[in-house]
Amino acid sequence: KEVHVLLKKGDAERSHENAVMDHVRAATFSIADGALPSNEGRGYVIRKIIRLATDHLNKAGAVTPGTLHKLVPGVIRIMGTVYPELSDRQKTIASIIENEEKAYFEACRRAETAHQGSMSAEEFAFMLYDTHGLPLDRIREKFEKEGKKFDEKIFGEYLEEQRQKIDSMMMEMGPMMGMGMMGGPAGKYKTEGDAKAAPKAAPKGSE
């Protein structure tokens, strides 16, 4: 697999590796179909998929962060004979994913300096995850560093509500989006700590 070239020898975890390929395949097909990463609707789903794939690639032992887009040619080489339109848009798809990777790393950087304000701890934690895309383990680290805590059960309720919404949205987007998330039907893909994501009204005070 092309993903092996991007990983440190001996560091790959099969579950993360499989998730990377499933997610980048879904993103490739969706972008080829005209979807672009954004903060709303279909674009939100694409953005979240790319960011989840980026997280999984890093956890699988990426040699260099921000190399997810380099997997696009491999996806298209395998699927392009059946879907020739993929080959026509290969450079565009890879460029869009690369730009989203960069935007994600910048969002994570901003999240590190974000302040809680009037939000509850759980709302703030959810905002860091949902708006900024900060992985759950890094949210825990941020709270610990600042001497704060949040109720992960309440946080999980926000995520469960999201999961239900994204299940519905992904099924509406077609079978290619309903497949492949961790090798199963829509709704079974996971990020760090089993955090599951989908659109939700942003908590008070979020961007």
Side-chain angles (χ1 to χ4, degrees), residues 18-196:
N18 290 342
V20 168
M21 296 310 300
D22 288 340
H23 285 65
V24 75
R25 181 167 55 247
T28 296
F29 272 90
S30 298
I31 294 170
D33 194 42
L36 296 175
S38 71
N39 289 328
E40 297 181 353
R42 188 184 186 192
Y44 179 97
V45 177
I46 304 307
R47 170 160 286 169
K48 187 62 68 175
I49 286 173
I50 293 172
R51 294 184 176 194
L52 285 169
T54 300
D55 284 342
H56 282 297
L57 184 60
N58 290 337
K59 294 180 188 305
V63 174
T64 305
T67 52
L68 181 71
H69 61 282
K70 293 185 178 181
L71 297 175
V72 172
V75 171
I76 293 177
R77 185 172 64 254
I78 295 171
M79 307 298 293
T81 54
V82 180
Y83 302 96
E85 64 274 17
L86 293 177
S87 299
D88 296 336
R89 301 205 64 197
Q90 177 173 314
K91 290 184 178 180
T92 299
I93 294 168
S95 177
I96 289 171
I97 291 178
E98 182 179 14
N99 288 337
E100 184 58 30
E101 288 180 279
K102 293 177 180 178
Y104 178 40
F105 290 133
E106 175 60 22
C108 287
R109 187 192 65 78
R110 292 197 308 270
E112 294 289 355
T113 59
H115 298 289
Q116 183 172 338
S118 61
M119 289 180 283
S120 70
E122 292 74 31
E123 286 177 328
F124 182 51
F126 181 79
M127 186 270 284
L128 292 172
Y129 173 83
D130 187 58
T131 302
H132 292 289
L134 203 65
L136 182 55
D137 56 350
R138 293 180 64 178
I139 293 173
R140 293 188 183 112
E141 291 173 3
K142 177 177 174 64
F143 270 76
E144 183 177 351
K145 181 179 179 180
E146 296 177 359
K148 300 177 181 179
K149 296 181 179 180
F150 66 97
D151 188 325
E152 292 200 24
K153 182 177 180 181
I154 296 175
F155 177 80
E157 291 173 358
Y158 282 118
L159 297 177
E160 175 60 21
E161 183 176 343
Q162 281 196 314
R163 184 192 66 78
Q164 294 175 8
K165 289 183 178 181
I166 204 167
D167 282 355
S168 176
M169 291 181 63
M170 289 176 69
M171 294 307 294
E172 291 175 1
M173 288 168 66
M176 283 309 301
M177 289 299 298
M179 296 169 56
M181 300 299 97
M182 291 296 286
K188 290 191 177 181
Y189 66 95
K190 302 179 181 180
T191 188
E192 182 68 12
D194 286 346
K196 305 171 185 177

